[in-house]
Amino acid sequence: MKLTDTTYLVGGGTWGGMGLTPGPDCNVYLIDGGGALALIDTGSGVAGSPEAIARWITGHGFALSDVGTILLTHMHGDHVGGAAALAAMTGAEVFASPLTAGVLAAADEEVSSIRTARDAGIYPADFRLAALAGVKPLEDGASVTVGAVTLTAIPTPGHSEGHLSFLATAPKRRDLFAGDIVFWRGRVLMQAIPGCDVMATARSIERLAGLGPIDGLFPGHGAVTLSGATRHINSAAEHVRALRVPPAL
């Protein structure tokens, strides 16, 4: 599904998604920088999900081998579970925060809360995180260039430790790929799991509000915003400044 000149939605499952892929997949975005492609997040990797993402990519006329970069927002299973499969299918380099890179290298289901989520029924009983070595860590402000699009890593912990958002700068747009830190209408997603922190969320939202004008807001779940996205970020920030937790997704 083409969203802008540079952004496509190629995944999103049964939980707050568009039903493009099976299982509990986050929104998966394809960035077309012109001759170079990147994926932001990879879905859960449950049976049929990586293949469905691949079909959406090729259905838009792209080759899987043109996907040279995979960027991961955070370590939860609905965002990174498909990383090993899609890295193998595309040959792409994978980038994430240092914490997420370590979780994937060790297939750590404790730190990532995947075991807890599986026990709660969010993931199928047979769901397991596939290990992926060689993920390149991104520090604060590090950038990855994908053709004409520059993607800058912004640490935004709160929903998860080691969470990154990505500011995409193209010739005519500034878009925010926000993972699970902020959503349409200034919503947030807090869960009763380790690493989900209200105060860290508040600080991250304040940081995002300081980025200046943003055109598109592309979150990990639910509705996307194609223009005027600053108002949604500012809505969350207004709650924070009034010492309130923004409303739940």
Side-chain angles (χ1 to χ4, degrees), residues 45 47 62 93 138 153 175-176 191 205 220 241:
F62 301 114
E93 291 185 307
L138 287 174
D175 296 323
L176 183 68
Q191 295 176 293
I205 286 171
R241 291 164 189 161

Side-chain angles (χ1 to χ4, degrees), residues 137-224:
L138 287 174
E139 301 293 346
D140 190 349
S143 294
V144 177
T145 300
V146 181
V149 179
T150 299
L151 293 140
T152 301
I154 304 171
T156 45
H159 172 76
S160 169
E161 292 180 298
H163 189 291
L164 296 177
S165 298
F166 295 99
L167 180 64
T169 305
K172 296 181 180 179
R173 295 186 63 89
R174 295 178 85 231
D175 296 323
L176 183 68
F177 294 86
D180 286 356
I181 191 64
V182 66
F183 301 84
W184 182 72
R185 296 183 67 186
R187 309 282 178 168
V188 297
L189 179 54
M190 306 304 298
Q191 295 176 293
I193 55 175
C196 199
D197 184 316
V198 169
M199 288 309 300
T201 295
R203 289 190 293 271
S204 292
I205 286 171
E206 285 279 33
R207 180 169 184 181
L208 294 177
L211 292 176
I214 301 293
D215 296 303
L217 175 62
F218 300 101
H221 303 278
V224 304

Side-chain angles (χ1 to χ4, degrees), residues 55-70:
R55 286 195 298 273
W56 281 108
I57 294 170
T58 58
H60 285 295
F62 301 114
L64 292 182
S65 59
D66 289 334
V67 180
T69 303
I70 294 172

Side-chain angles (χ1 to χ4, degrees), residues 98-114:
L99 178 58
T100 299
V103 162
L104 281 167
D108 191 332
E109 296 188 345
E110 296 297 335
V111 171
S112 62
S113 295
I114 287 173

